[in-house]
Amino acid sequence: MAIPIIQVKNLYKIYKVGDTKVYALHGVDFEIYKGEFCAIVGPSGSGKSTLLNMLAGLEKPSKGEIVIDKVHIEHMTENQLVEFRRKRVGFIFQSYNLLKTLNAVENVALPLSFRGVPKKKRNAIAEKYLKLVGLEKQMKHMANAMSGGQQQRVGIARALAVNPRIIFADEPTGNLDSKTTMEILKLMRRIVREQQQTLIMVTHDNHLASYADRLFHIVDGKIFKIEQMHHEDDDLEENEHENKMEESPDSVDGGPDGSRDDSGHTDDGQGAAIG
Ligand code: ADP
């Protein structure tokens, strides 16, 4: 946990509404490390989405610094930000955004096809990540024939398949029941830890946030508390694994080998020069 992947310094976002100024972010400072699952939690209107948009390079700050992977993104041009997002960032949405008439493998492979990964290779990668999220038996199922929880797992596999360093999730389990929500959050926590990625989730729900490694509590555009969580179940999950597999073959805890495929399916170095 030595090197921060994200550093935020004195970050401000000020919107002008008529004659008044709205301080959506009012001097925010923090660091996030590789392998961490962080939740940004706070009431509606507190600045969560604004912060997520800044970190993902979707909006520019009014003032302050955002350093991601040692690069200052607040100085980037629009084209550079597009390239940054394509190479570094994955998104998990509440609404899954799957293509309903494609099967699970095709949905996960789609972003890879946009990056020019050949079909055989992208299908192999898609299958690997679908196994990782516990959907070994649903690979050929059409998205519209899957449950909400299964669709969200496909969405997670799709976000992970391009091997992003940072994954952003905005209320990712908003449409799911509480048991599925818990499984999905534990799954995400385990995968990012194993793959040394970084997951940042925005939520207004304190209970959901409690699955994260650290909670950033935000109110009125300011972080007033950073809370470290301790998940005692983490060590047990491996031991429970086999029992769970027998009881419920579709358990999200089943199957993955956790190895990270660095066999060149990211497009680092292949992208067009920017700037
Ligand atoms: P949250 O995601 O926690 O609900 P937001 O980040 O969406 O909060 O909003 C923080 C504050 O900034 C709110 O007061 C909101 O009204 C204001 N705000 C957000 N976006 C804009 C905008 N485009 N123009 C003006 N005010 C905005």
Side-chain angles (χ1 to χ4, degrees), residues 171-195:
E171 301 278 357
T173 58
N175 295 324
L176 305 175
D177 63 73
S178 58
K179 181 170 175 283
T180 310
T181 292
M182 185 193 75
E183 286 176 350
I184 294 276
L185 292 173
K186 284 187 172 181
L187 172 76
M188 295 198 300
R189 185 171 76 210
R190 184 168 54 74
I191 291 175
V192 297
R193 191 176 295 168
E194 284 172 357
Q195 305 206 113

Side-chain angles (χ1 to χ4, degrees), residues 26-47:
H26 202 146
V28 169
D29 294 272
F30 59 83
E31 294 183 339
I32 292 177
Y33 300 90
K34 267 191 181 179
E36 264 198 308
F37 172 13
C38 291
I40 299 166
V41 62
S44 179
S46 58

Side-chain angles (χ1 to χ4, degrees), residues 30-33 35-41 167 169 192 198-202 209 212-216 226:
F30 59 83
E31 294 183 339
I32 292 177
Y33 300 90
E36 264 198 308
F37 172 13
C38 291
I40 299 166
V41 62
I167 301 143
V192 297
T198 303
L199 173 63
I200 300 168
M201 176 179 79
V202 158
D213 299 315
R214 281 199 297 158
L215 272 63
F216 296 69
I226 297 179

Side-chain angles (χ1 to χ4, degrees), residues 15 17 22 24 43-50:
Y15 294 108
V17 184
V22 177
S44 179
S46 58
K48 303 182 297 294
S49 309
T50 305

